[in-house]
Amino acid sequence: MQRLASSRRLLQAALAPVRAHSSLSAAAAVAPVPENGFADAAPKMPPFGYTPPPYEGPRAEEILQKRAEFLSPSLFHFYDRPLNIVDGKMQYLFDEDGRRYLDAFGGIATVSCGHCHPDIVEAIVNQAKRIQHSTVLYLNNAISDFAEALAAKMPGDLKVVFFTNSGTEANELALMIARLYTGCHDIISVRNGYHGNAAGTMGATAQSIWKFNVVQTGVHHASNPDPYRGAFGSDGEKYARDVEEIIDFGTTGRVGGFISEAIQGVGGIVELAPGYLPAVYNTVRKAGGLCIADEVQVGVARTGSHFWGFEAHGVIPDIVTMAKGIGNGIPIGAVVTTPEIAQVLTRRSYFNTFGGNPVSTAGGHAVLKVLEKEKLQENAFVVGSYLKERLDMLKEKHEIIGDVRGRGFLLGVELVTDRQKKTPAKAEIAQVMNNMKDMGVLVGKGGFYGNVFRVTPPLCFSKDDSDFLIDVMDIALSKL
């Protein structure tokens, strides 16, 4: 509580200069950035004391050709002229020509502490020098130390950790555990949610673009408690009644579990309406089900106000899944549950060859240490709130911005061609993204209609970085 109070004081100080301005100028802080080779009209990028070594590898054209020939045709890329990113340091990325870009996407909300953070790189390299892989059939302190550190971040009796390789694997395991523990196959998830692309998680995912025509059984999709587009606005308890009806009319009256994100990431940074999760958790538990919190994108200090997204809703799940930010780019995922629930996996043999790999867990443990040492959760709260307020000001200027939402460094900016009808601005967002890239800022996009900017930078993102992003977005929107 003391840290949160301190963060709020810092936030008030950070927001003071923003509130002193009533409007944004159309070309604020316009200046050339000659070292990056961007157009003279680009705003000035904040200084940064790192220059990458010269890149002598294949050029973008050659890589594109190899991708087309040797990689899956399902792979896609951003931008009219795809970027060849060859170097990264903290919140910045560098292309094949040494141009610097402000990374406001964080590898899809994955880079938490910053690209190539020296403490994390050192931990990974040191572990790789000792032993890169053995097996969990032998003892190694890296996995147990990281599990202990993760458990210390969890509320209640959530203290048993299963390591996986990704968020999809973590959610697959969580769904299986819930079904085994309850003896029920029925799972409830939320429309517009994304939980992975394997057999079970594809069933729980509720966007057609991510679903193939394969068998997906036992999953019911509840109405999305979307404050912007939903039927009941921000009244979470009204949306929660749909879960009651699903149980009453679509199941035996008993369910295996309920899974949701606290803020939908792929779905366009949609924060669930207040009051929804407490009501649903109560309903699901009355029906014998377990409550699963998918923290793959929202967790690990990203929202700033809390370490885990579910904490903002005042609930304690039975199972928590995570990935992305706990590895800062290292492939690792985890499922955390109670000792009682964890026992179900002893009924048969459960094994994961790479889950708990020494290199991955050493890197993950280093992430937790850096987050604490550099107070990155506090930074996400203070700077993320400042950035959101500046985005709100941008909304006042540009009619195409229909909504600004999210917490900390998990922010969404939805573009619409008509604010009343909320018509998705699909073509316009692609144009703005390309223009922002040409001025040195990289952002993501998502949402069911593909019209939402996903602003999910590394948690070391600064106030100056935020100002630069705003200035670039302002100019790019003005060009429409």
Side-chain angles (χ1 to χ4, degrees):
M1 291 301 293
Q2 186 176 11
R3 170 172 289 185
L4 185 57
S6 173
S7 297
R8 294 192 187 282
R9 287 194 294 271
L10 288 170
L11 173 60
Q12 290 171 355
L15 292 181
V18 177
R19 290 168 177 156
H21 299 287
S22 59
S23 64
L24 291 162
S25 63
V30 175
V33 191
E35 77 274 16
N36 286 333
F38 293 119
D40 287 347
K44 186 173 178 60
M45 189 179 293
F48 188 62
Y50 172 77
T51 301
Y55 173 71
E56 299 176 353
R59 304 287 293 181
E61 294 79 7
E62 181 181 347
I63 296 172
L64 267 176
Q65 185 177 359
K66 287 184 178 181
R67 274 176 63 130
E69 185 174 357
F70 299 112
L71 294 178
S72 169
S74 66
L75 295 181
F76 58 91
H77 53 73
F78 282 161
Y79 308 117
D80 295 338
R81 299 188 308 279
L83 283 174
N84 180 19
I85 297 297
V86 302
D87 207 307
K89 181 67 68 173
M90 303 310 286
Q91 66 269 44
Y92 293 102
L93 294 170
F94 300 83
D95 70 10
E96 60 191 13
D97 294 315
R99 292 187 179 94
R100 178 162 59 103
Y101 298 85
L102 178 63
D103 182 12
F105 196 28
I108 317 179
T110 298
V111 180
S112 49
C113 300
H115 295 281
C116 298
H117 191 290
D119 292 7
I120 300 170
V121 170
E122 182 180 16
I124 292 168
V125 170
N126 287 345
Q127 180 60 55
K129 285 180 177 178
R130 293 187 65 87
I131 185 165
Q132 185 175 348
H133 176 76
S134 53
T135 167
V136 291
L137 298 175
Y138 307 134
L139 301 183
N140 187 282
N141 71 292
I143 181 173
S144 55
D145 288 349
F146 185 34
E148 180 184 31
L150 266 183
K153 290 289 187 181
M154 307 303 301
D157 204 26
L158 294 164
K159 59 180 65 173
V160 178
V161 183
F162 297 88
F163 286 111
T164 66
N165 302 293
S166 68
T168 291
E169 277 193 4
N171 284 330
E172 284 280 331
L173 178 57
L175 293 172
M176 183 175 76
I177 289 173
R179 284 165 164 158
L180 289 172
Y181 182 80
T182 62
C184 293
H185 187 68
D186 288 282
I187 296 291
I188 300 173
S189 67
V190 180
R191 294 175 192 170
N192 197 54
Y194 179 87
H195 302 288
N197 55 11
T201 51
M202 189 179 294
T205 292
Q207 290 190 47
S208 58
I209 189 175
W210 303 108
K211 296 171 77 72
F212 288 94
N213 186 25
V214 295
V215 175
Q216 301 168 44
T217 63
V219 180
H220 309 265
H221 302 112
S223 296
N224 186 22
D226 180 350
Y228 181 63
R229 290 186 175 271
F232 304 116
S234 296
D235 192 335
E237 292 186 5
K238 286 185 178 179
Y239 294 104
R241 291 172 193 162
D242 189 45
V243 174
E244 292 182 37
E245 294 190 357
I246 286 173
I247 294 172
D248 290 341
F249 296 99
T251 75
T252 63
R254 307 287 289 177
V255 295
F258 168 82
I259 184 170
S260 75
E261 309 157 88
I263 300 178
Q264 295 173 338
V266 174
I269 319 299
V270 177
E271 189 168 8
L272 305 189
Y276 178 76
L277 282 184
V280 168
Y281 273 33
N282 183 55
T283 297
V284 168
R285 284 170 173 157
K286 283 181 179 178
L290 298 184
C291 298
I292 304 168
D294 180 343
E295 294 282 323
V296 170
Q297 292 198 36
V298 69
V300 195
R302 179 158 290 279
T303 63
S305 59
H306 302 82
F307 197 83
W308 305 108
F310 64 79
E311 293 177 304
H313 294 263
V315 297
I316 298 180
D318 302 296
I319 304 174
V320 180
T321 63
M322 63 199 74
K324 291 185 180 288
I326 64 168
N328 198 56
I330 286 287
I332 187 170
V335 176
V336 184
T337 190
T338 67
E340 178 186 347
I341 295 171
Q343 282 293 319
V344 298
L345 290 185
T346 64
R347 298 175 188 173
R348 294 290 188 274
S349 294
Y350 173 76
F351 189 77
N352 188 314
T353 299
F354 297 108
N357 171 275
V359 175
S360 295
T361 50
H365 197 183
V367 167
L368 293 184
K369 292 176 181 177
V370 169
L371 289 171
E372 185 71 22
K373 173 185 171 184
E374 299 183 2
K375 299 181 178 179
L376 293 182
Q377 180 180 341
E378 187 175 279
N379 189 67
F381 176 70
V382 174
V383 180
S385 299
Y386 170 83
L387 175 56
K388 185 178 180 182
E389 181 134 341
R390 290 218 61 188
L391 287 168
D392 278 325
M393 292 173 64
L394 210 58
K395 177 185 171 185
E396 294 176 11
K397 177 177 180 180
H398 296 281
E399 187 73 17
I400 196 171
I401 298 180
D403 193 34
V404 173
R405 53 185 180 251
R407 290 172 178 248
F409 284 139
L410 190 64
L411 300 175
V413 181
E414 181 156 356
L415 301 190
V416 295
T417 57
D418 185 310
R419 282 191 178 181
Q420 295 301 315
K421 297 179 180 178
K422 300 178 182 177
T423 309
K426 301 177 186 178
E428 291 82 357
I429 197 170
Q431 181 180 338
V432 174
M433 281 186 69
N434 274 291
N435 285 334
M436 290 181 69
K437 182 261 291 182
D438 290 342
M439 289 185 279
V441 175
L442 308 180
V443 293
K445 72 181 181 76
F448 181 77
Y449 304 104
N451 67 317
V452 182
F453 283 125
R454 295 165 68 186
V455 183
T456 57
L459 307 190
C460 55
F461 212 73
S462 71
K463 181 175 174 288
D464 288 342
D465 295 324
S466 301
D467 290 336
F468 177 64
L469 183 153
I470 292 295
D471 292 340
V472 166
M473 185 178 287
D474 185 18
I475 294 172
L477 289 169
S478 298
K479 290 182 177 181
L480 290 174

